[in-house]
Amino acid sequence: NLQNKPFFCESVFARGIISEYIWNGYLSQEDENWAPIFHDSNFWSLSHKTGCVFVWVSDSEIGVDIEYLLEKSHELISLFPQKMYDMCGGKNWKNFYTLWTSFEAIQKMRRWKDISWEEFTLLSFELIKADISEIPFQTRTLYERKGKNYQVFTGFLENKVYSVCTSQNIDYEIMT
């Protein structure tokens, strides 16, 4: 029963905003992979949770994800191998959500379904300082899957963590 789901209203609201753009002629319907695109070939990605919506528009393929930074079960934090946590600075919930939202953003950018994180190799994790469209980002991770690299920028704001997977060149400063 959708009415019992706490995110149902946010989902309807987010899709309503996107539909408004489609109806007003800003967006074409979809590309060949069923992903909505703007008339001038820009791409967009959407993620939402109860109380927040994260939408990103780009002139290249893009994927975004947003989550609340919440402690959950021990089984969930054990989803990723210790080697990945070691590269991120240790096993904790902040690093879990960095990895989780990164993989979600990659999947949205590539429009994949049912791709396991086990197919990816974490190549690097950097603490950075970057402002992309006035949104602060604190980490950059680089992943590899089947010979292709994926760059993901992750930021933290209040109790939210958000990631953007993009192939665009982004200026950032590496923090030491």
Side-chain angles (χ1 to χ4, degrees):
N1 183 344
L2 289 176
Q3 293 175 338
N4 291 333
K5 295 193 176 198
F7 63 86
F8 179 68
C9 291
E10 284 80 8
S11 177
V12 170
F13 176 74
R15 293 176 199 309
I17 290 171
I18 298 304
S19 296
E20 180 70 24
Y21 279 100
I22 291 171
W23 291 328
N24 285 325
Y26 295 109
L27 295 173
S28 61
Q29 294 300 317
E30 298 105 8
D31 68 10
E32 66 277 0
N33 295 310
W34 297 87
I37 59 172
F38 281 78
H39 283 302
D40 59 3
S41 297
N42 283 343
F43 296 82
W44 65 271
S45 184
L46 166 76
S47 182
H48 59 87
K49 295 293 172 209
T50 300
C52 64
V53 176
F54 186 31
V55 179
W56 198 283
V57 178
S58 176
D59 60 2
S60 63
E61 289 183 305
I62 194 84
V64 302
D65 191 48
I66 190 166
E67 296 285 342
Y68 283 105
L69 188 58
L70 302 170
E71 291 187 19
K72 296 193 177 186
S73 71
H74 175 73
E75 291 80 23
L76 187 60
I77 200 169
S78 297
L79 178 69
F80 299 111
Q82 186 62 44
K83 181 179 176 181
M84 284 188 172
Y85 285 119
D86 291 345
M87 288 183 72
C88 296
K91 189 175 192 176
N92 59 52
W93 285 105
K94 188 174 181 180
N95 290 335
F96 168 82
Y97 282 107
T98 296
L99 295 169
W100 181 269
T101 59
S102 293
F103 286 115
E104 289 288 314
I106 292 169
Q107 289 190 57
K108 288 180 179 182
M109 183 181 94
R110 300 304 307 157
R111 296 175 213 65
W112 288 326
K113 295 184 181 184
D114 302 322
I115 298 294
S116 171
W117 59 265
E118 294 166 324
E119 297 180 37
F120 291 83
T121 301
L122 176 58
L123 299 176
S124 67
F125 174 90
E126 298 172 310
L127 296 176
I128 64 159
K129 180 179 179 183
D131 287 317
I132 307 169
S133 298
E134 300 182 21
I135 298 174
F137 290 86
Q138 292 86 27
T139 68
R140 176 184 175 270
T141 48
L142 186 63
Y143 300 88
E144 184 273 333
R145 178 183 181 263
K146 296 184 177 182
K148 182 158 174 58
N149 291 347
Y150 299 93
Q151 163 181 251
V152 181
F153 292 90
T154 302
F156 303 90
L157 187 62
E158 298 171 357
N159 63 340
K160 293 176 248 347
V161 56
Y162 47 89
S163 288
V164 175
C165 180
T166 179
S167 59
Q168 290 181 312
N169 291 324
I170 304 293
D171 292 328
Y172 61 91
E173 175 184 346
I174 297 176
M175 306 305 287
T176 56

